[in-house]
């Protein structure tokens, strides 16, 4: 089975060179916990993607395990009200991304129209893999962007022990051990979810999980591990092979009642289409309600934008109450 996937180490090295982060936005300065950034001009995004939308709230909270302030981003539709239950989407960024990566213009418009709260966790740092069982640190020893843009000392540690090198991240994080980093990444997502549930009147029957690339792998991993939470999950170009997940080694059985959608470009050279097709075959075998959108000519980055309408439309069809 492993021969049908590209080499994991080689793929992570490719993802880490910067192709994956071509569409990432630079976050605005971190704010105190539970406060939002002013709706002023944010710094221009990398790759000419522009500023972070001023409707996206920039927040931090205290991650008590390490004493760090971790960032997360929140978008709240004008249709959200404390007087009614409101749908929620947790959106997971790809390798090298940040809390703002998934807060793209078309996704925000869809969230606004659908009345969603949309939250982007950091996942502890830019390469934590959201708890997926990969045993190398694809994001290097740091990953969260600092104000000065300078890499921390020892940024090339990702080469140690046979792990692929990652681009030097700016602003190191306290945890560098890969296994502990992945645990912290998962915990950060669940912490943010818990805070949002406490702050807003969230509909427990319409809580969704989505992600791109590394975040797509995290979506499958956390979608299965916490299957009772999600009304549906959606993955764009999920990088499951480097995350240590294959249909043969990671069972979808615990989430067989959770509707799933995968959006995949057939010209993706970083996460080959063959991997997505294997997951779809497994969904068929388990009789999981699913949808597969294979984008002709789509590459790894393009599905981050083109996949949003399909995923939002899919989410709109399913609630936990209807299962």
């Amino acid at each position: 089975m492993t021969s049908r996937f590209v080499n994991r180490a080689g793929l992570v090295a490719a993802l880490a060179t910067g192709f994956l982060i071509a569409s990432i936005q630079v976050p605005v300065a971190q704010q105190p916990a539970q406060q939002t950034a002013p709706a002023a001009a944010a710094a221009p995004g990398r790759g000419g993607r522009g500023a972070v939308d001023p409707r996206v709230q920039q927040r931090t909270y205290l991650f008590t395990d390490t004493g760090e302030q971790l960032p997360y981003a929140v978008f709240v539709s004008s249709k959200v009200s404390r007087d009614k239950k409101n749908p929620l989407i947790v959106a997971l960024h790809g390798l090298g991304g940040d809390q703002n990566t998934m807060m793209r213009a078309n996704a925000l418009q869809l969230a606004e129209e659908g009345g969603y709260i949309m939250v982007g966790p950091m996942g502890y740092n830019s390469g934590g893999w959201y708890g997926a069982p990969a045993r190398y640190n694809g994001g290097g020893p740091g990953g969260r962007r600092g104000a000065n843009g300078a890499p921390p000392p020892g940024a090339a540690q990702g080469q140690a022990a046979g792990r692929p090198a990652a681009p030097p991240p700016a602003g190191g994080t306290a945890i560098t051990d890969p296994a502990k980093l992945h645990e912290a990444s998962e915990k950060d997502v669940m912490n943010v979810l818990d805070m949002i549930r406490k702050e807003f009147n969230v509909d427990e029957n319409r809580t969704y999980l989505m992600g791109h690339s590394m975040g797509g792998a995290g979506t499958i991993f956390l979608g299965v591990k916490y299957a009772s939470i999600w009304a549906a999950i959606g993955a764009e170009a999920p990088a499951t092979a480097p995350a240590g997940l294959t249909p043969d080694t990671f069972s979808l059985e615990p989430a067989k009642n959770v509707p799933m959608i995968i959006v995949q470009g057939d010209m993706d050279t970083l996460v080959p289409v063959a991997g997505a097709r294997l997951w779809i075959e497994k969904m068929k075998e388990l009789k999981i309600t699913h949808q597969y959108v294979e984008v002709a000519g789509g590459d790894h980055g393009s599905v981050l934008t083109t996949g949003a309408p399909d995923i939002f439309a899919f989410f709109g069809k399913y609630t936990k109450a209807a299962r």
Side-chain angles (χ1 to χ4, degrees):
M1 180 63 68
T2 55
S3 65
R4 300 185 68 177
F5 291 92
V6 295
N7 176 268
R8 288 202 309 175
L11 177 53
V12 171
L15 294 175
T17 60
F19 292 106
L20 183 60
I21 60 174
S23 58
I24 290 170
Q25 299 166 307
V26 172
V28 298
Q30 293 181 16
Q31 304 296 316
Q34 296 297 319
Q35 294 186 12
T36 64
R46 285 175 285 172
R49 294 289 179 174
V52 177
D53 192 297
R55 295 174 296 172
V56 178
Q57 303 172 22
Q58 304 300 315
R59 301 179 173 190
T60 67
Y61 79 98
L62 179 64
F63 189 67
T64 57
D65 292 46
T66 62
E68 296 169 280
Q69 289 287 332
L70 298 187
Y72 66 105
V74 181
F75 171 80
V76 182
S77 168
S78 64
K79 298 178 182 180
V80 169
S81 169
R82 293 185 181 276
D83 299 328
K84 63 179 178 65
K85 294 285 188 179
N86 303 281
L88 169 66
I89 295 176
V90 179
L92 308 180
H93 65 77
L95 181 64
D98 61 30
Q99 71 275 14
N100 292 302
T101 302
M102 301 297 289
M103 303 296 186
R104 302 174 66 82
N106 66 333
L108 295 186
Q109 185 59 35
L110 292 164
E112 169 61 30
E113 293 170 358
Y116 287 95
I117 304 161
M118 189 172 177
V119 60
M122 184 64 189
Y124 185 71
N125 75 7
S126 65
W129 291 93
Y130 307 106
R135 289 305 174 205
Y136 43 74
N137 183 359
R144 202 166 61 246
R145 293 285 166 183
N148 61 7
Q157 288 177 343
Q159 296 176 347
R163 294 194 297 273
T173 47
I175 299 174
T176 59
D177 176 78
K180 292 181 180 178
L181 171 61
H182 295 174
E183 292 172 3
S185 184
E186 174 183 337
K187 188 169 185 178
D188 180 26
V189 173
M190 303 313 292
N191 285 350
V192 170
L193 172 60
D194 185 57
M195 288 188 294
I196 293 297
R197 284 169 147 180
K198 290 176 179 176
E199 180 180 356
F200 296 95
N201 188 3
V202 172
D203 191 340
E204 62 277 7
N205 288 316
R206 292 185 295 162
T207 298
Y208 306 91
L209 180 65
M210 67 178 288
H212 172 252
S213 194
M214 178 184 76
T219 293
I220 291 175
F221 179 74
L222 297 178
V224 171
K225 185 170 183 178
Y226 300 97
S228 63
I229 293 176
W230 317 114
I233 66 173
E236 299 163 316
T240 50
L245 310 176
T246 75
D248 287 342
T249 63
F250 183 73
S251 176
L252 296 177
E253 182 78 25
K256 64 181 181 180
N257 293 322
V258 179
M260 303 180 186
I261 178 172
I262 292 179
V263 180
Q264 175 73 45
D266 67 357
M267 298 301 289
D268 191 332
T269 58
L270 293 178
V271 176
V273 67
R277 292 170 180 169
L278 291 177
W279 286 109
I280 295 302
E281 289 305 310
K282 181 59 66 173
M283 292 176 196
K284 291 177 180 177
E285 179 184 321
L286 294 174
K287 295 181 171 55
I288 293 173
T289 299
H290 69 277
Q291 181 179 348
Y292 179 47
V293 179
E294 189 167 296
V295 182
D299 60 22
H300 194 67
S302 65
V303 297
L304 180 57
T305 299
T306 61
D310 290 308
I311 289 177
F312 274 79
F314 186 80
F315 287 172
K317 297 177 183 178
Y318 298 103
T319 70
K320 282 171 57 180
R323 297 209 292 259

